Amino acid sequence: MSYSTGEIAALCQVTVRTVQFYDKEGLLKPETRSEGGRRLYDEDGLKTLQMICLYKRLGLNLTQIKSVLSDEENCRKILLRVLEEREKMLTEEIKQKLSCRESVKTVRREIAEGGAFSPKSFSDIRTIMKGKQKQRGTYALMLVVGFLADAAIVTTAVLWGVMGLWLPFAIAMPCALAAIAGAVAIAYKNLAYVCTDCGKKFRPSFREFFFSAHTPKTRRCTCTHCGSKNFHAETYSD
């Protein structure tokens, strides 16, 4: 059975111009021509066009498609190699898209919280992303240190109470306090606050930071810009 350019294009859901382009590029050749000079394609031509369309949907470019179609004997190996390369490329693109999405979410959240951000400066986005990573890292450090310190104190206290072994407790207590003090110092260095009244970022004194009431995302401290003493939103330091 023979197909005209329009018929084979319709069967593969592409335009006539696309079929003509593949012909021009040497990817798809007509079996013969009609008496009027019209291109005619056979079943093999239809299958070839279907494969070209499939490869295009998989993201292969024309050079890769030519490589696959030109070597029938090794086309399977070539196709597997090309698809493997395409998979790696798509994986990298997905990583970049996810990173871009995270940047958008971070900047949107930063603007909503009143953080300073200039839409014209790409460096602001990188600064915000690094700051958020630092903030999350600080939270993780505080959580781990707090858990380990509590576990050490409780365990050694039990040993002292049950078995009379006071030495482990005597060693664990100052070590736990030192670890907590170090974690608090790091948190003070890495964290800052956005004033709920004036919207500016500030860092309170260490004494106020250490002793003030706080929630997981706010702390009751005094803004160094406007003097407002309130629960201010926690963010990263510059």
Side-chain angles (χ1 to χ4, degrees):
M1 184 175 181
S2 297
Y3 305 95
S4 67
T5 301
E7 289 171 340
I8 198 174
L11 288 171
C12 295
Q13 298 181 339
V14 296
T15 65
V16 170
R17 183 169 295 182
T18 298
V19 176
Q20 293 172 342
F21 174 74
Y22 290 153
D23 187 350
K24 180 181 177 182
E25 292 295 318
L27 292 171
L28 180 67
K29 289 296 183 181
E31 178 193 19
T32 185
R33 291 178 179 267
S34 66
E35 294 181 358
R38 297 170 58 194
R39 294 178 175 86
L40 296 176
Y41 301 88
D42 58 7
E43 291 292 337
D44 288 339
L46 176 60
K47 292 178 181 178
T48 299
L49 182 55
Q50 289 172 338
M51 293 305 298
I52 293 172
C53 293
L54 172 62
Y55 295 154
K56 288 292 292 182
R57 282 196 293 270
L58 293 175
L60 277 65
N61 58 40
L62 291 182
T63 301
Q64 293 170 328
I65 294 174
K66 283 182 180 180
S67 178
V68 174
L69 294 178
S70 62
D71 191 344
E72 294 184 4
E73 184 176 347
N74 297 307
C75 66
R76 180 183 175 84
K77 294 180 180 178
I78 296 172
L79 179 58
L80 287 174
R81 185 172 65 248
V82 170
L83 289 177
E84 183 179 355
E85 293 174 0
R86 180 59 182 165
E87 183 179 0
K88 291 179 181 178
M89 186 181 301
L90 288 172
T91 300
E92 184 60 31
E93 289 178 3
I94 290 171
K95 289 181 180 179
Q96 293 176 1
K97 293 292 184 181
L98 290 174
S99 176
C100 181
R101 186 184 68 175
E102 188 63 26
S103 298
V104 170
K105 289 169 63 177
T106 300
V107 172
R108 186 184 66 182
R109 184 166 55 248
E110 183 72 10
I111 294 173
E113 293 174 354
F117 172 72
S118 169
K120 296 181 180 179
S121 176
F122 177 73
S123 62
D124 286 349
I125 300 178
R126 291 184 294 183
T127 299
I128 291 171
M129 292 295 294
K130 289 180 180 179
K132 289 298 183 182
Q133 291 174 356
K134 181 168 64 175
Q135 185 179 359
R136 289 193 292 267
T138 301
Y139 289 156
L141 174 65
M142 294 290 289
L143 182 64
V144 171
V145 170
F147 174 79
L148 293 178
D150 288 344
I153 292 172
V154 171
T155 301
T156 54
V158 170
L159 288 175
W160 188 6
V162 175
M163 304 178 65
L165 301 175
W166 60 269
L167 185 59
F169 181 80
I171 297 174
M173 178 59 74
C175 290
L177 293 177
I180 292 173
V184 170
I186 293 173
Y188 179 71
K189 178 182 178 182
N190 290 345
L191 300 176
Y193 297 87
V194 177
C195 179
T196 55
D197 293 314
C198 69
K200 294 182 179 179
K201 184 184 289 189
F202 71 95
R203 181 189 292 169
S205 66
F206 182 80
R207 184 179 182 280
E208 187 175 33
F209 173 84
F210 188 82
F211 291 104
S212 60
H214 61 90
T215 69
K217 292 187 178 181
T218 65
R219 186 175 294 270
R220 191 174 189 273
C221 47
T222 305
C223 175
T224 58
H225 299 287
C226 68
S228 171
K229 188 168 185 177
N230 203 340
F231 279 92
H232 303 293
E234 200 164 68
T235 184
Y236 58 90
S237 63
D238 296 325

